[in-house]
């Protein structure tokens, strides 16, 4: 599977775990309109996660540093009073922003998230329908490709990095002369510790 798709799924899983109030968390392609928002309000509060790429930088190891622009759209609606969805939307936006700040989302090839921005989307048509939309955006850098320096520095066998070497056993034998003049032989097996 694509490293970027896997990273996006890690973000979705992290948002689900950190913000359990969100009833529906899924991905989207980065663009949305009123029809999409109407579909997403079927199960509110909900969130949609998009990962879009911005300029990629080459790295000295031969890998590429994909500077990913991550956008999370949070949708809620009024429930008990006029415009009460606003406070809940801000609360959800804050939770996602705090989660994103300096998070690697469990990927060792990702840098901590930076440039976190968040806002409430102001749209009179959505406000009249009682829908609130919040957006959290940040940048996550993800190294993709093959690390050629690692390939030069480590030993590989059948395409796998060798992490254990064969163990050896040393046998030592000695003769000991006792004070009585007798000679005895002792044998000792030494196996290196792991």
């Amino acid at each position: 599977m694509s490293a970027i798709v896997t990273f996006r799924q890690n973000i979705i899983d992290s948002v689900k775990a950190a913000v359990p109030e969100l009833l529906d968390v899924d991905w989207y392609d980065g663009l949305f309109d009123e029809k999409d928002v109407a579909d997403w309000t079927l199960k509110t509060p909900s969130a949609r996660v998009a990962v879009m790429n911005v300029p990629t930088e080459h790295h000295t190891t031969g890998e590429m540093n994909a500077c990913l622009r991550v956008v999370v759209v949070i949708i809620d609606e009024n429930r008990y009073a006029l415009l009460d969805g606003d406070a809940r939307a801000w609360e959800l936006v804050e939770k996602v922003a705090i989660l994103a700040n300096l998070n690697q989302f469990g990927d060792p090839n990702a840098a901590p998230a930076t440039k976190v921005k968040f806002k409430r989307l102001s749209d009179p048509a959505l406000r009249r329908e009682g829908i609130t939309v919040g957006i959290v955006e940040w940048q996550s850098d993800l190294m993709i490709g093959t690390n050629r320096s690692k390939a030069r520095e480590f030993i590989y066998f059948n395409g796998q990095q060798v992490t254990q070497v064969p163990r050896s056993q040393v046998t030592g034998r000695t003769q000991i002369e006792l004070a009585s003049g007798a000679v005895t032989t002792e044998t000792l097996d030494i196996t290196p510790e792991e």
Side-chain angles (χ1 to χ4, degrees), residues 56-76:
T56 301
E57 302 165 353
H58 291 282
H59 198 267
T60 57
T61 62
E63 298 167 288
M64 290 187 294
N65 185 17
C67 305
L68 302 174
R69 186 173 147 237
V70 180
V71 180
V72 178
V73 178
I74 297 166
I75 302 98
D76 203 353

Side-chain angles (χ1 to χ4, degrees), residues 20-192:
E21 306 95 274
L22 292 169
L23 301 178
D24 185 29
V25 181
D26 208 348
W27 69 274
Y28 78 108
D29 60 4
L31 298 172
F32 66 93
D33 58 16
E34 292 84 7
K35 173 76 170 85
D36 292 321
V37 172
D39 291 343
W40 297 342
T41 57
L42 296 175
K43 199 173 190 183
T44 57
S46 63
R48 293 294 179 266
V49 178
V51 175
M52 298 168 286
N53 125 333
V54 294
T56 301
E57 302 165 353
H58 291 282
H59 198 267
T60 57
T61 62
E63 298 167 288
M64 290 187 294
N65 185 17
C67 305
L68 302 174
R69 186 173 147 237
V70 180
V71 180
V72 178
V73 178
I74 297 166
I75 302 98
D76 203 353
E77 58 188 339
N78 297 336
R79 296 196 184 169
Y80 309 112
L82 187 62
L83 303 178
D84 73 338
D86 180 67
R88 279 193 314 279
W90 271 118
E91 182 181 355
L92 294 170
V93 164
E94 288 175 22
K95 286 182 179 182
V96 172
I98 290 167
L99 168 70
N101 188 36
L102 301 177
N103 197 333
Q104 289 179 265
F105 298 98
D107 193 324
N109 293 321
T114 59
K115 302 177 185 173
V116 179
K117 299 183 281 188
F118 52 92
K119 61 184 172 184
R120 276 266 292 110
L121 187 65
S122 298
D123 185 295
L126 292 175
R127 185 182 67 240
R128 284 186 212 101
E129 292 180 25
I131 298 170
T132 57
V133 178
I135 296 175
V136 183
E137 183 178 338
W138 67 86
Q139 180 175 321
S140 286
D141 296 345
L142 181 66
M143 294 296 273
I144 57 174
T146 303
N147 184 333
R148 292 187 185 112
S149 67
K150 189 175 179 183
R152 288 189 302 266
E153 293 174 5
F154 296 99
I155 300 169
Y156 289 85
F157 180 71
N158 289 338
Q160 301 260 337
Q161 183 180 342
V162 176
T163 57
Q164 287 188 328
V165 293
R167 298 180 57 160
S168 60
Q169 183 173 7
V170 177
T171 302
R173 183 172 288 158
T174 185
Q175 288 185 345
I176 300 173
E177 284 189 39
L178 301 175
S180 65
V183 176
T184 183
T185 302
E186 285 192 15
T187 304
L188 178 65
D189 291 329
I190 301 171
T191 303

